[in-house]
Structure formats: C-alpha cells, structure tokens
Amino acid sequence: HYNYSIAALLYKTFSENVAEILHTKGFILEKRHFKLFTFSRILDKGEKVERDKLKKLKSAFGINKDFVFRNRRANAPETALFFKNKVSFYFSSVKQFIVEDVGTRILTLPSFDLLGQEILLSSLEVLKEPKITDNTLIKMLSPVTVYSTMKTEDGKVKTYYYSPNEKEFKELVKNNAIKKYTVTYGRHPLKETLDISTYYFNEKRNRAVVYFKGTRIEGWTGIFQLKGNPELIKIVYDTGIGAKNSNGFGMWKIYKP
C-alpha cells in the first residue's frame, strides 16, 4: 500500500509550477480532470517482514519514523516490505514538459524525502519507446483498474470495480482511452477502436487490492492483449490504461512471450 508515498515523492519532485497545474486542475475534458501521467510499482523485490522484526530493522538503520502497516486479512499479523539497498520505479507522461520537469529536478535536487527518510539519486535512465502495433501483448507494471460510482438506496455513494471478465471493463477502458487522446490532442481519434482481453490471467491470483490514503482500490495485474487503433494503444502506454493512473495504476510494458 505504498502508492501514496510514491505519489507524494513525485509531487515533491515536480517544480512548484508543474505541481500546481497537476494538483489543482490537470487537463480538463467535459468536467473530467486528467493528470496524464502514471508510475509503476516498485521494481525491486522487498523483504516481507512482520512488525516485531521491523522494529529491529528500524533500530539498525536509524529509522525514527513510526510506521503503521496493516494486513487487511482477518487475524493476519501487521507486515511491511523492507527495501535494504534501493527503490526504483518507472514514470511516464504524454506531456513532454512534465517529463522534462521531472528529469531536470531529479538531476538538480540534492536529495529527496520518502516517508521522512532522506534518499539520494543512484541513476536515471530514459527508456526507448517501443514500436506500437494494432495487436499488442502487454504486461502490467502496476494494476489496471476501472470502476463506476453509484448511489445506494440510503443515499451513500458506492464504488464498484469491474473485473476484466465483465463486459463493462472493456467499454470503460476504451472510453477512457478516447478521452485521454482527445484531451491530449484536442481532437477525437480517427478510429475509436480499442479492445482489451485477458491473455495470461487468473482472477484470484491477479487481483490486487491497494489502499490509497485509506481508500480501497481494486485492480488487476497479469498479461493482456490490446487490439485496435495504435494511436489509442500509444496514449495508454504514455499515460496508463484505465483509471487512477496518477495514483500509480495502469502502467504497462510490451510483453514478448
């Protein structure tokens, strides 16, 4: 459940002007606000530790912040992921000025704050863009999520997260991609075709639940197949596929079996 910590790290890395643009309004289309950036899960493998061992690790490494880690399963011990040497992740945006802002700031800031701890830059790499076709296999680097909100009979707002096996999942992914393309380029794509289907996927194994500032978000990992307009596939490569991309959802890479 560290998505919020990485998002906070990014907002502290953005210049004041860019952070203000993204935080207050973003890019607007029909009352919808898009941030048009995304980031992956942490790429390094962390050690899963329970709370008692974490206290010893905190003491050994001089960590004085009081972390609270929760395992949401009933009667499960409190656990955390411990990264001894480094944390690394991918960042992406379709807006060049956002990418340039992040790159410039990363190279000029002396250090960064992550959960109250000072961290230093080890390396920065710009990845070569892949060739996007109309039939692409993708592997999720952070869970893909799509949802609808509705009011219950007692007036409360309920969020329903769709499974990739539900027809609404495909439709929402396509519509979301069209909106991202439109808000980015100021016009609709010539072909509004985009289909997502599961390729290597198990609903139980690939279900991912993440708590972001106390809000439960349900997403899906795994390998999917995208078919359709390469321009729409490209826009969801740059900005993330599905919803909540700026919260660390929907980032993917091309999968080659």
Side-chain angles (χ1 to χ4, degrees):
H1 310 294
Y2 53 69
N3 287 45
Y4 177 69
S5 299
I6 302 298
L9 172 65
L10 284 170
Y11 271 96
K12 286 184 289 187
T13 303
F14 291 139
S15 65
E16 187 175 335
N17 182 49
V18 170
E20 178 71 14
I21 291 172
L22 295 174
H23 186 69
T24 58
K25 57 181 180 179
F27 306 92
I28 304 172
L29 177 70
E30 300 172 354
K31 298 181 180 180
R32 291 286 307 278
H33 294 249
F34 296 89
K35 304 294 178 66
L36 299 181
F37 77 84
T38 190
F39 57 92
S40 71
R41 299 283 286 170
I42 291 176
L43 304 174
D44 314 283
K45 187 175 178 62
E47 177 189 355
K48 189 175 181 180
V49 296
E50 296 186 4
R51 194 174 185 87
D52 288 343
K53 185 177 180 181
L54 184 65
K55 291 179 180 178
K56 297 178 182 178
L57 288 171
K58 286 169 62 178
S59 176
F61 284 88
I63 300 173
N64 53 24
K65 186 175 178 64
D66 185 22
F67 296 100
V68 178
F69 297 92
R70 293 281 187 265
N71 189 320
R72 300 286 172 168
R73 289 178 298 172
N75 301 319
E78 292 183 349
T79 59
L81 283 176
F82 177 69
F83 300 92
K84 183 177 180 180
N85 295 316
K86 65 174 183 174
V87 291
S88 56
F89 60 93
Y90 292 130
F91 172 86
S92 177
S93 176
V94 72
K95 292 295 186 179
Q96 189 64 25
F97 79 91
I98 297 178
V99 177
E100 291 176 353
D101 185 78
V102 169
T104 301
R105 295 275 293 173
I106 283 175
L107 292 173
T108 55
L109 290 175
S111 63
F112 307 87
D113 178 271
L114 179 62
L115 286 170
Q117 299 302 306
E118 183 184 36
I119 60 174
L120 303 174
L121 176 67
S122 172
S123 63
L124 172 65
E125 181 181 0
V126 179
L127 302 182
K128 183 179 179 180
E129 288 195 357
K131 183 180 179 181
I132 301 292
T133 67
D134 60 0
N135 188 347
T136 305
L137 290 178
I138 68 171
K139 181 178 181 179
M140 301 311 304
L141 295 172
S142 55
V144 53
T145 183
V146 291
Y147 64 95
S148 291
T149 55
M150 58 200 79
K151 279 192 175 182
T152 60
E153 293 181 356
D154 56 3
K156 295 181 179 179
V157 177
K158 180 180 179 181
T159 302
Y160 181 82
Y161 292 95
Y162 292 98
S163 161
N165 295 322
E166 296 177 281
K167 63 179 182 179
E168 292 88 350
F169 186 91
K170 293 175 177 281
E171 194 67 21
L172 288 170
V173 163
K174 182 185 76 171
N175 292 340
N176 178 269
I178 292 171
K179 290 176 180 177
K180 287 172 182 169
Y181 185 94
T182 303
V183 75
T184 299
Y185 298 108
R187 59 180 175 84
H188 286 275
L190 295 177
K191 294 182 180 180
E192 296 185 351
T193 55
L194 182 65
D195 179 75
I196 183 171
S197 57
T198 57
Y199 182 81
Y200 188 75
F201 176 83
N202 178 283
E203 190 157 349
K204 183 177 181 180
R205 182 184 66 244
N206 293 115
R207 180 171 172 267
V209 175
V210 177
Y211 284 82
F212 189 93
K213 292 182 68 176
T215 299
R216 181 183 182 278
I217 301 173
E218 186 173 317
W220 309 92
T221 60
I223 298 169
F224 297 83
Q225 185 171 32
L226 294 180
K227 291 183 178 181
N229 183 354
E231 289 185 319
L232 288 180
I233 297 178
K234 179 64 166 60
I235 199 71
V236 297
Y237 173 79
D238 288 331
T239 65
I241 192 168
K244 297 187 179 294
N245 306 130
S246 61
N247 291 352
F249 290 86
M251 192 177 213
W252 55 269
K253 68 177 181 179
I254 288 180
Y255 174 74
K256 295 181 180 181

